Amino acid sequence: MAADWAPTFAAVDRAAFLPDLMWPFDPRTHHATPVHKAEDPDAWYAAADRDAPIVTQWDDGEHTGTEPGRVSTSSSSMPSVVYALLQDLAVDDGMTVLDVGTGTGETAAALAHRCGSGGGVATVEVDPDVSRWARQRLRAAGWRPAVVVGDGAEGHVDRAPYDRILATVGVREIPGAWIEQTRPGGLIVAPWGTHFTHADAVARLTVHQGTATGRFTRPVEFMKLRAQRPALPDHGAYDPTDGADTSATDLTEAEFVTGPYGALPFVLGLRVPRCVQVVAEKEDGARPVWFYGLGDRSWACVVFREDAKTARVWQAGPRRLWDEVEGAYRWWLARGAPDHTRFGLTVTPEGHRVWLDDPDGTVA
């Protein structure tokens, strides 16, 4: 954590914003485990102090019981990630800030501490119950940002224009309302990504004359803005026996399956639009990786096998998705395997454009 944010970290107690029943998430195992404050206070406080995400709501509030639900829909984000976002935001005393995705309210409290009495923080949350909890915890801790129930994609025009807009939810499109509600020279910091995987990259965008442009700073992964939450493809809707072409590739699993935070999945998503990748669990030495087209029923599958020199490929439909994916991989290698920080994003009223190194160029 940057030294200038240390006083805020000390002033805002994460534990004060957490519910009694919560589900600490282990990023290594991708499992969440219930912890109840009354039943095991030591474990509860240990989880609150750990640098890891904590799920605080499942299934948009429809979940009951103590076991994890199907989809995590609100959380206390990993503190080191949140404070890295705050550092990117370059927020200072007296600024006006919109916080999109209130969650537990902890980030809004951090912004209120940093902006001081001369600034103004508004935080918007789509879920009324989540917002109500956050408001209660913020007031109990002595912080008084404006707590608003609404669609974060619409921003909060009543307090615009803002010096800064921070999203702690992932987006697939930067909403035009955010650009309209940011003053010239202001910043938007938001996790942005493609449909290819669930992972995001932090976009740090400067607003000028109705456009927003800037570089990506690092890979992250956040729950998605509800208005842009993707639905996973239904495997059964893609017929794996319908006239599939077969071929082979000399790509290896080690080269291709790099994990969610590697630059490769990010680049593949840029170069292979409207496609979802699903990496299956390895079984009997074989690792299938599936690709599903979102605009039609095109699909592809590559199966990597241990100690095999080539991997077998199947693909069918109007698009040859594996050919597109492998071509994108070769494109990335030919440019020196650039990481996230060499890419940038420009958003105009006409749409989104991703570029490599040069803002005047185009990757996707």
Side-chain angles (χ1 to χ4, degrees):
M1 180 192 306
D4 60 333
W5 278 97
T8 298
F9 183 76
V12 178
D13 181 10
R14 186 189 197 192
F17 295 88
L18 295 171
D20 289 351
L21 174 62
M22 61 187 191
W23 295 265
F25 183 79
D26 187 336
R28 297 168 300 175
T29 64
H30 295 277
H31 289 126
T33 306
V35 177
H36 202 291
K37 188 175 183 180
E39 296 175 0
D40 195 343
D42 290 342
W44 191 94
Y45 280 105
D49 289 340
R50 196 172 299 126
D51 187 25
I54 297 173
V55 178
T56 55
Q57 186 198 66
W58 296 94
D59 304 324
D60 296 331
E62 297 180 0
H63 169 264
T64 59
T66 59
E67 291 306 306
R70 294 167 299 171
V71 179
S72 55
T73 49
S74 192
S75 71
S76 170
S77 300
M78 192 170 180
S80 62
V81 172
V82 171
Y83 278 87
L85 289 174
L86 293 172
Q87 185 70 20
D88 286 339
L89 197 64
V91 67
D92 212 342
D93 184 56
M95 286 187 172
T96 56
V97 183
L98 176 63
D99 169 44
V100 178
T102 307
T104 65
E106 181 188 357
T107 303
L111 289 167
H113 178 270
R114 183 59 174 252
C115 292
S117 58
V121 176
T123 180
V124 59
E125 168 63 48
V126 70
D127 190 301
D129 292 334
V130 171
S131 181
R132 187 179 307 112
W133 166 268
R135 181 191 295 271
Q136 292 171 355
R137 305 318 299 164
L138 283 161
R139 299 298 182 260
W143 306 109
R144 307 194 72 82
V147 181
V148 179
V149 177
D151 182 354
E154 298 177 358
H156 181 55
V157 71
D158 292 357
R159 291 187 171 235
Y162 299 97
D163 297 296
R164 302 287 188 266
I165 291 182
L166 172 66
T168 52
V169 289
V171 296
R172 295 298 172 256
E173 294 181 2
I174 301 294
W178 295 1
I179 298 174
E180 295 166 3
Q181 294 173 26
T182 302
R183 70 176 73 254
L187 293 178
I188 297 171
V189 173
W192 182 93
T194 68
H195 296 290
F196 197 74
T197 70
H198 199 266
D200 310 300
V202 178
R204 187 177 189 268
L205 309 175
T206 300
V207 173
H208 182 65
Q209 295 184 342
T211 69
T213 190
R215 291 186 179 273
F216 295 101
T217 63
R218 64 182 58 82
V220 291
E221 185 174 322
F222 275 84
M223 296 175 188
K224 303 302 175 276
L225 191 73
R226 288 196 190 178
Q228 297 185 20
R229 187 187 295 168
L232 286 177
D234 177 12
H235 180 81
Y238 296 78
D239 187 352
T241 63
D242 184 17
D245 295 331
T246 60
S247 59
T249 178
D250 59 1
L251 289 183
T252 66
E253 180 181 352
E255 290 175 302
F256 191 78
V257 183
T258 59
Y261 302 114
L264 178 57
F266 177 73
V267 173
L268 295 179
L270 298 176
R271 299 284 295 177
V272 188
R274 296 194 56 75
C275 176
V276 174
Q277 171 185 273
V278 177
V279 179
E281 294 294 328
K282 183 177 287 188
E283 186 173 346
D284 297 329
R287 166 96 67 189
V289 181
W290 290 86
F291 307 90
Y292 302 95
L294 295 178
D296 53 41
R297 292 304 179 204
S298 298
W299 64 269
C301 180
V302 56
V303 178
F304 298 104
R305 296 187 180 276
E306 294 177 357
D307 302 324
K309 294 182 178 180
T310 61
R312 194 171 183 192
V313 176
W314 294 260
Q315 52 188 336
R319 297 172 65 183
R320 287 300 180 256
L321 289 177
W322 174 254
D323 293 348
E324 293 184 37
V325 167
E326 188 167 11
Y329 174 81
R330 306 294 182 193
W331 179 94
W332 178 64
L333 282 187
R335 284 153 184 79
D339 67 9
H340 297 79
T341 62
R342 284 181 56 190
F343 291 89
L345 175 67
T346 297
V347 185
T348 70
E350 287 71 42
H352 291 55
R353 176 171 55 83
V354 179
W355 40 269
L356 174 66
D357 297 329
D358 182 0
D360 290 331
T362 299
V363 172

